[in-house]
C-alpha cells in the first residue's frame, strides 16, 4: 500500500512517456492538430468512463453503455426528423439514456440480478431497438450548425468542441468521487457491501442512481458521436464498452470494487488515445487497434494478480533466507 | 449404487427415495443422507457435531434413534451437543470441555444435569467488571412480540436509559437475529419495535440511526469495518453528513473526529491514515465502537463486543460500556461469555431456540440459572422489569 509508484501514478507516467516517445519518433504526433484528433477520437470513451468508474468501484458493471449510446443516437436522429427541433431531439436522446440506465438499475437493485448478466442482455436489447427504430437507414440531415460542433475546432485553438465538456465532467466526477459523502459511500460499498448496510448506507438506492447517471452520460456520448459523424446509425459506437471498461480497469480501478482514482482513469483514457493515434500515424490499420484495447484489458486484470503473487513470493523467500542465515 | 443406498436407508430405519436430489430434502433428511454416506464407507467411529442444532424435536428424536441403531450395530458414536436432554437420553459416557480443556469424563448414569452445568461453568466470578450503580431512566427500546418464523418467536423486552441488558444463550439461539431485526438489517414477520415511545419502521437501518440506535455487529471484519480503508474513514463513515459542508466532506473535521475517539478509547494505531486491516483485533473493535459512539446514540446494541480480543482490551471495552451506561446510554449486549454477562448486566435475557426463556435481574442471575435456562433444563421466570 505504501509503494511510491502506485498504479494510477504509473499510468500517468506511462502516458507522459508515450507522448514523449511519440513526439520523438513522429513529429506529427505532438502537433496541435493531432492532439485535437486524439481528444475527438476518445471523447465518447472518456465521457462514459467517468460514471463507469463509479459503477465498477461499487462492484457493479454496465456492459450496455455502447448500445445505450447508439440507441440515444438513433433517437436523436429520429426525434430530429419527427420534430424538426434539435433541442427536443437532444432531450429525447438524453432521456433515452436515463431510461436505459434505469432499466439496468431496476433489474440489478430491485430484482437482485447480477449486473454482468443483466447488462449483457440489455446490450443486445438496446442494440436491437436501434435497428427497430431506424432499420438499415441512417439519418444524415442534422443542421450544419450542430454537426460543426462535432468536427470543427474551437476557434483559435486545435481543440474540438467536446473538450470543455470533457474537462468539466471529468472534474465534476472527480470531485464527487474523492471529496463528497457520495464518493465515500461508493468506496465503502465497493469495500464491503455488508458493512455498508450496517453503516446505514442506502446501497440499493446508490447503485440505482449510478446506473441512471451512467445511462444519461452514455446518452450524451451518443449525441457527441452522432455530431462527430454527422449521422445517426444503428451500428454506432459498436464495441465502445470494451474500450471504456479497459480504460477504467487500466486506470487502476479494481474489478472487485473499492479501489481506484478518477485521475488514474482519465490518464488511462488519454494513454489509450495516444497509443491508438501513434499506431495510426505509423500506418497500422484502424481495425487492428482493438488489439490495443484487448491487450490493455488483459494487462489490467493480469498484472495486479502477478504483482501480488510476485511480492508474496519475495516475502516468502526473504523469510526463508532470513531463517537460513545463522 | 441405488440399491446400496436403499439398504443403508433401511438400516437407518428411514424411508427415503435414493433418486431424489439432496437439495430439496429437509435438513433432517440431509443429515440422514450425511450419516448414510459415512456408513457407506463402513465407518466404525462416527462423530456427530451438533447434529440436531437445526432440527425440530421430532426430527431430533428420529436422529437419536439412528444413533442408537448405529451403536447397537457396534459402531462408536461421538455425539457433540449443547442440548443436555439429548446427552442424557442418548449417551453412555460424557466429557465436559471448557476453554479448550477437558474438565471431566464420567458415565452418564452417575451424574445429573445440574452437576454437568456446574462443570461447564466452572470458574468463579471475578471482580473484573466495573459496575457503576445506575438508576434506570425512561424506556428507550420497547420490543413486543417480535417474531420471524423459524428464527425467533414472540420476543418482548424493554431497555431503559442507563441500563445494560444482556442477551445470553447458546450460539444459534436467535439473539443476533433479534438485534439485527431491531436495527433493521433483517425484516421480521410480526411484532413491534419502539424507540423512545414511537414506532421504528422495519428493515430501515437509516431510520434506526436517525433515531439514535447504533449496532456494533457480530462480525467486525465483515460487518463492522471497511478493512482497506483508514482509521479516520472508518470512524467517520456513519456521520459523514455532519462533517460535510455543501456535500463536500471536510477532511479536517473527519480527522479531528477520528483523533478525538482514538484518544478517548486509547486506540493503539500507526496514524489515522493506517488501514484498519493492519490493526490488532482489539484495536479494530475499538474503531468499530468509536464509529458508533460518534453517532451519539441513545441506544447502543453490541453483539459479542469482546469476541476474539485480548484480555486488556476486553476490560477497556467493559469499562467503556459501563461508563456510557452511567451517562444514560441504554445498552443491549449480546454475549456468549457468561462472566461478561453476569459482570456487566443489570438484567439478563436468556434465549433458547428462538424464544425468550427467562428474564433475570442482576441479583437473581447466577451462572447456573442462566445455563439451565439456556440449555432448556428449566424455565426460570424472573421477576424482571420487562413485560
Amino acid at each position: 500500500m505504501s509503494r511510491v509508484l502506485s498504479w494510477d501514478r504509473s499510468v500517468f507516467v506511462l502516458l507522459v512517456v508515450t507522448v514523449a516517445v511519440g513526439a520523438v519518433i513522429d513529429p506529427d504526433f505532438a502537433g496541435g492538430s493531432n492532439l485535437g484528433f486524439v481528444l475527438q477520437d476518445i471523447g465518447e470513451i472518456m465521457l462514459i468512463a467517468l460514471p463507469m468508474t463509479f459503477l465498477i468501484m461499487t462492484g457493479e458493471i454496465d456492459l450496455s453503455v455502447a448500445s445505450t449510446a447508439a440507441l440515444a443516437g438513433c433517437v436523436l436522429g429520429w426525434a430530429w426528423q419527427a420534430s424538426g427541433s434539435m433541442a427536443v431531439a437532444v432531450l429525447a436522446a438524453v432521456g433515452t439514456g436515463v431510461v436505459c440506465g434505469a432499466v439496468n438499475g431496476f433489474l440489478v437493485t430491485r430484482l437482485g440480478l447480477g449486473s454482468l448478466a443483466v447488462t449483457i442482455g440489455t446490450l443486445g436489447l438496446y442494440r436491437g431497438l436501434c435497428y427497430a427504430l431506424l432499420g438499415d437507414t441512417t439519418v444524415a440531415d442534422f443542421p450544419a450548425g450542430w454537426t460543426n460542433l462535432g468536427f470543427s475546432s474551437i476557434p483559435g485553438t486545435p481543440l474540438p468542441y467536446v473538450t470543455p465538456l470533457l474537462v468539466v465532467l471529468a472534474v465534476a466526477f472527480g470531485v464527487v468521487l474523492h471529496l463528497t459523502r457520495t464518493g465515500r459511500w461508493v468506496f465503502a460499498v465497493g469495500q464491503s457491501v455488508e458493512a455498508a448496510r450496517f453503516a446505514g448506507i442506502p446501497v440499493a438506492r446508490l447503485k440505482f442512481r449510478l446506473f441512471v447517471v451512467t445511462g444519461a452520460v452514455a446518452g450524451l456520448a451518443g449525441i457527441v458521436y452522432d455530431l462527430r459523424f454527422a449521422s445517426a446509425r444503428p451500428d454506432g459506437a459498436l464495441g465502445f464498452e470494451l474500450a471504456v471498461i479497459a480504460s477504467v480497469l487500466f486506470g487502476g480501478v479494481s474489478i472487485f470494487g473499492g479501489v481506484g482514482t478518477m485521475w488514474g482513469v482519465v490518464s488511462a483514457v488519454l494513454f489509450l488515445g495516444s497509443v491508438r493515434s501513434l499506431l495510426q500515424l505509423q500506418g497500422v490499420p484502424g481495425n487492428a487497434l482493438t488489439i490495443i484495447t484487448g491487450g490493455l484489458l488483459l494487462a489490467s486484470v493480469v498484472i495486479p494478480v502477478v504483482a501480488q503473487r510476485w511480492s508474496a513470493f519475495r516475502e516468502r523467500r526473504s523469510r526463508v533466507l532470513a531463517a537460513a542465515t545463522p | 449404487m441405488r440399491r446400496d443406498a436403499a439398504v443403508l436407508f433401511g438400516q437407518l430405519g428411514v424411508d427415503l427415495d435414493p433418486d431424489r436430489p439432496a437439495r430439496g430434502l429437509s435438513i433432517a433428511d440431509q443429515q440422514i443422507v450425511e450419516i448414510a454416506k459415512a456408513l457407506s464407507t463402513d465407518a466404525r467411529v462416527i462423530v456427530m457435531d451438533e447434529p440436531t442444532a437445526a432440527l425440530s424435536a421430532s426430527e431430533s428424536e428420529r436422529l437419536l434413534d439412528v444413533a442408537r441403531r448405529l451403536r447397537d450395530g457396534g459402531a462408536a458414536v461421538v455425539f457433540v451437543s449443547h442440548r443436555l436432554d439429548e446427552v442424557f437420553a442418548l449417551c453412555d459416557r460424557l466429557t465436559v470441555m471448557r476453554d479448550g480443556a477437558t474438565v471431566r469424563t464420567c458415565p452418564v448414569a452417575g451424574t445429573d444435569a445440574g452437576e454437568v452445568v456446574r462443570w461447564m461453568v466452572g470458574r468463579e466470578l471475578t471482580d473484573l467488571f466495573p459496575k457503576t450503580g445506575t438508576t434506570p431512566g425512561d424506556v428507550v427500546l420497547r420490543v413486543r412480540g417480535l417474531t420471524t418464523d423459524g428464527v425467533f418467536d414472540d420476543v418482548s423486552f424493554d431497555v431503559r436509559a442507563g441500563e445494560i441488558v444482556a442477551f445470553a444463550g447458546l450460539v444459534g439461539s436467535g439473539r443476533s437475529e433479534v438485534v439485527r431485526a431491531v436495527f433493521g438489517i433483517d425484516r421480521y414477520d410480526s411484532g413491534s419495535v419502539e424507540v423512545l415511545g414511537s414506532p421504528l419502521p422495519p428493515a430501515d437501518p437509516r431510520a434506526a440511526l436517525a433515531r439514535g440506535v447504533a449496532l456494533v455487529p457480530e462480525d467486525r471484519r465483515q460487518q463492522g469495518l471497511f478493512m482497506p480503508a483508514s482509521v479516520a474513514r472508518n470512524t467517520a463513515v456513519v456521520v459523514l453528513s455532519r462533517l460535510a459542508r455543501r456535500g463536500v466532506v471536510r477532511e479536517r473535521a473527519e480527522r479531528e473526529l477520528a483523533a478525538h475517539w482514538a484518544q478517548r478509547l486509547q486506540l493503539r494505531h500507526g496514524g489515522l491514515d493506517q488501514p484498519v486491516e493492519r490493526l490488532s483485533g482489539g484495536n479494530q473493535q475499538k474503531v468499530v465502537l468509536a464509529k458508533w459512539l460518534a453517532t451519539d446514540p441513545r441506544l447502543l446494541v453490541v453483539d459479542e463486543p469482546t469476541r476474539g480480543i485480548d484480555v486488556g482490551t476486553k476490560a477497556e471495552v467493559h469499562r467503556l460500556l459501563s461508563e456510557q451506561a452511567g451517562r444514560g446510554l441504554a445498552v443491549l449486549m449480546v454475549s456468549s461469555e457468561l462472566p461478561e454477562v453476569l459482570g456487566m448486566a443489570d438484567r439478563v435475557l436468556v434465549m433458547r431456540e428462538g424464544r425468550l426463556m427467562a428474564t433475570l435481574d442482576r441479583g437473581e442471575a447466577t451462572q447456573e440459572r442462566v445455563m439451565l435456562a439456556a440449555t432448556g433444563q428449566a424455565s426460570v421466570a424472573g421477576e424482571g422489569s420487562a413485560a
Side-chain angles (χ1 to χ4, degrees):
Chain A
M1 286 291 154
S2 58
R3 274 173 298 165
V4 183
L5 209 60
S6 62
W7 184 282
D8 49 354
R9 272 185 216 155
S10 314
V11 174
F12 183 71
V13 169
L14 199 58
L15 169 65
V16 172
V17 169
T18 309
V19 171
V21 169
V24 170
I25 62 174
D26 193 330
D28 288 340
F29 176 74
S33 62
N34 192 53
L35 172 66
F37 167 79
V38 170
L39 285 175
Q40 211 157 33
D41 186 40
I42 49 114
E44 299 91 6
I45 311 279
M46 170 98 77
L47 281 175
I48 304 173
L50 301 173
M52 185 71 86
T53 300
F54 279 65
L55 265 186
I56 296 181
M57 289 278 288
T58 62
E60 301 292 343
I61 201 163
D62 184 351
L63 297 174
S64 74
V65 282
S67 300
T68 301
L71 184 57
C74 291
V75 167
L76 184 79
W78 176 82
W80 158 244
Q81 288 191 324
S83 72
S85 156
M86 274 308 274
V88 169
V90 164
L91 280 179
V94 174
T96 302
V98 168
V99 171
C100 289
V103 169
N104 288 334
F106 177 82
L107 292 173
V108 172
T109 64
R110 302 296 135 147
L111 302 190
L113 307 172
S115 55
L116 198 67
V118 163
T119 59
I120 283 178
T122 52
L123 176 155
L125 176 69
Y126 299 158
R127 183 66 71 180
L129 291 176
C130 293
Y131 287 97
L133 193 64
L134 290 189
D136 276 332
T137 63
T138 57
V139 177
D141 60 347
F142 291 119
W146 283 79
T147 52
N148 280 343
L149 288 177
F151 46 70
S152 58
S153 306
I154 300 172
T157 71
L159 302 173
Y161 277 99
V162 74
T163 316
L165 184 66
L166 294 180
V167 172
V168 168
L169 284 185
V171 169
F173 275 87
V175 165
V176 171
L177 183 62
H178 293 294
L179 299 181
T180 68
R181 186 181 73 165
T182 304
R184 296 288 164 87
W185 282 357
V186 167
F187 275 92
V189 169
Q191 284 162 359
S192 169
V193 175
E194 211 183 347
R197 285 188 64 219
F198 276 87
I201 296 172
V203 177
R205 200 171 75 200
L206 178 71
K207 285 184 175 177
F208 179 79
R209 288 181 183 176
L210 291 181
F211 274 106
V212 171
V213 170
T214 304
V217 175
L220 200 60
I223 299 171
V224 170
Y225 186 89
D226 274 10
L227 298 183
R228 176 148 75 101
F229 292 98
S231 67
R233 316 195 313 249
D235 62 346
L238 208 58
F240 276 27
E241 68 281 337
L242 196 66
V244 168
I245 290 163
S247 303
V248 171
L249 297 185
F250 194 69
V253 176
S254 164
I255 187 74
F256 307 111
V259 179
T261 61
M262 195 50 89
W263 75 294
V265 171
V266 170
S267 303
V269 179
L270 292 174
F271 171 74
L272 178 73
S274 306
V275 172
R276 275 161 59 129
S277 140
L278 201 54
L279 292 177
Q280 270 170 344
L281 289 173
Q282 300 305 305
V284 176
N287 291 340
L289 293 177
T290 29
I291 294 176
I292 306 298
T293 325
L296 280 189
L297 196 56
L298 274 180
S300 341
V301 287
V302 169
I303 290 174
V305 176
V306 172
Q308 201 186 4
R309 296 226 174 128
W310 173 244
S311 73
F313 167 74
R314 281 212 319 201
E315 204 173 291
R316 210 166 44 235
R317 194 183 51 178
S318 65
R319 227 181 300 131
V320 170
L321 288 179
T325 41
Chain B
M1 191 170 66
R2 187 175 307 145
R3 202 174 315 122
D4 291 347
V7 168
L8 285 171
F9 290 147
Q11 277 175 20
L12 295 172
V14 293
D15 181 26
L16 272 179
D17 177 2
D19 286 326
R20 273 187 66 179
R23 185 206 303 262
L25 296 175
S26 70
I27 293 175
D29 286 339
Q30 289 181 13
Q31 301 267 30
I32 302 282
V33 173
E34 192 71 29
I35 292 167
K37 198 169 87 187
L39 287 181
S40 70
T41 62
D42 281 330
R44 304 308 297 156
V45 178
I46 295 164
V47 182
M48 300 184 184
D49 188 358
E50 299 281 5
T52 59
L55 305 187
S56 71
S58 64
E59 290 170 331
S60 297
E61 197 43 55
R62 197 165 56 134
L63 192 125
L64 296 188
D65 275 340
V66 169
R68 282 187 198 103
R69 272 168 199 258
L70 291 173
R71 177 194 63 192
D72 298 344
V77 179
V78 181
F79 190 80
V80 181
S81 177
H82 58 232
R83 293 189 180 172
L84 287 185
D85 48 348
E86 288 172 6
V87 172
F88 282 92
L90 174 70
C91 300
D92 302 304
R93 268 188 311 130
L94 67 82
T95 294
V96 174
M97 289 187 69
R98 188 179 68 234
D99 299 336
T102 301
V103 175
R104 190 77 159 243
T105 299
C106 68
V108 167
T111 183
D112 60 51
E115 195 175 28
V116 170
V117 167
R118 275 195 295 282
W119 291 334
M120 288 163 68
V121 172
R123 70 198 120 185
E124 293 303 311
L125 243 192
T126 60
D127 292 327
L128 261 174
F129 303 96
K131 184 67 206 162
T132 43
T134 50
T135 351
D138 298 337
V139 172
V140 176
L141 175 71
R142 175 171 303 220
V143 174
R144 288 292 175 274
L146 204 66
T147 302
T148 291
D149 293 338
V151 184
F152 50 83
D153 187 23
D154 195 19
V155 175
S156 301
F157 60 93
D158 292 344
V159 184
R160 293 167 176 276
E163 194 182 34
I164 298 180
V165 174
F167 246 131
L170 301 166
V171 171
S173 58
R175 300 164 300 164
S176 292
E177 288 76 6
V178 169
V179 299
R180 283 170 64 108
V182 166
F183 186 66
I185 295 291
D186 301 331
R187 297 195 161 277
Y188 48 84
D189 292 334
S190 60
S192 68
V193 178
E194 275 179 25
V195 172
L196 294 165
S198 50
L200 194 64
D204 187 353
R206 288 182 72 70
L209 273 168
R211 301 282 293 286
V213 183
L215 171 63
V216 172
E218 189 179 13
D219 181 343
R220 68 174 161 268
R221 297 176 64 86
Q222 297 291 327
Q223 303 166 340
L225 292 170
F226 302 98
M227 296 304 280
S230 69
V231 171
R233 293 253 172 138
N234 270 287
T235 308
V237 68
V238 195
V239 293
L240 285 172
S241 324
R242 217 175 67 200
L243 301 175
R245 189 187 290 146
R246 273 190 242 120
V248 174
V249 177
R250 288 172 300 150
E251 209 128 339
R252 246 211 29 234
E254 186 179 47
R255 297 182 70 82
E256 277 166 12
L257 176 90
H260 167 78
W261 284 103
Q263 203 221 340
R264 179 100 186 266
L265 303 188
Q266 290 163 25
L267 185 72
R268 280 170 287 278
H269 60 97
L272 296 174
D273 292 324
Q274 189 179 34
V276 293
E277 63 197 351
R278 303 248 290 270
L279 298 176
S280 72
N283 282 299
Q284 286 178 353
Q285 187 68 356
K286 284 184 181 178
V287 175
V288 183
L289 283 164
K291 160 178 158 179
W292 290 108
L293 289 174
T295 65
D296 200 12
R298 301 294 302 273
L299 168 71
L300 180 66
V301 184
V302 288
D303 195 349
E304 302 287 0
T306 63
R307 178 187 283 170
I309 67 180
D310 60 285
V311 181
T313 311
K314 219 176 213 180
E316 287 179 55
V317 169
H318 291 148
R319 200 176 317 123
L320 180 78
L321 291 177
S322 284
E323 190 186 297
Q324 294 290 332
R327 293 179 183 186
L329 184 70
V331 178
L332 177 60
M333 174 178 77
V334 175
S335 173
S336 297
E337 280 191 51
L338 264 184
E340 178 172 273
V341 165
L342 298 175
M344 300 285 298
D346 296 299
R347 228 150 20 88
V348 182
L349 312 172
V350 188
M351 281 192 78
R352 184 173 72 92
E353 290 167 21
R355 302 191 74 102
L356 201 53
M357 300 307 287
T359 301
L360 305 166
D361 275 338
R362 186 169 177 79
E364 49 185 8
T366 60
Q367 304 219 20
E368 282 78 8
R369 294 182 83 162
V370 173
M371 272 309 255
L372 286 172
T375 52
Q377 290 307 302
S379 178
V380 192
E383 297 152 34
S385 42

